[in-house]
Amino acid sequence: MSSAIKVEHNPSAERLNELGVSRWPTWSKEVSVFPWSFGEQEIAYILEGEVTITPDGGGEPVNFGKGDLVTFPAGLSCTWNVKQALRKHYQLG
């Protein structure tokens, strides 16, 4: 199992349709900094915003924003720095 955060920039409409992204729930967050742990894998499609995530334990920070498809591995503990208000579709598991 990969422990890396995977960012796909500007995935194709076909890829998004294949995943069923438009049917996923949405989640929003104002500009803020907060800790977060992923109990299970999450895939998110960023509708708005800009975020830097820094994994706990000294991992490289990962940046993503509007139009990105991001996969967060299960077990990841990190700090979110929401630089522009975030709105995303997400799917757990």
Side-chain angles (χ1 to χ4, degrees), residues 56-74:
D56 292 353
E60 284 295 306
V62 176
N63 299 298
F64 56 88
K66 183 177 179 178
D68 290 340
L69 186 68
V70 189
T71 303
F72 304 100

Side-chain angles (χ1 to χ4, degrees), residues 12-58:
S12 67
E14 290 81 10
R15 172 115 168 89
L16 297 176
N17 286 338
E18 203 176 276
L19 290 167
V21 167
S22 63
R23 295 188 300 276
W24 295 356
T26 57
W27 185 80
S28 301
K29 186 70 176 173
E30 70 281 1
V31 171
S32 54
V33 176
F34 60 95
W36 190 257
S37 293
F38 291 89
E40 54 189 326
Q41 177 180 281
E42 177 182 320
I43 302 174
Y45 180 65
I46 311 306
L47 297 166
E48 294 171 17
E50 184 187 333
V51 179
T52 299
I53 285 187
T54 305
D56 292 353

Side-chain angles (χ1 to χ4, degrees), residues 3-4 31 38 78 84 89 91:
S3 62
V31 171
F38 291 89
C78 56
Q84 292 178 6
H89 280 301
Q91 182 182 57

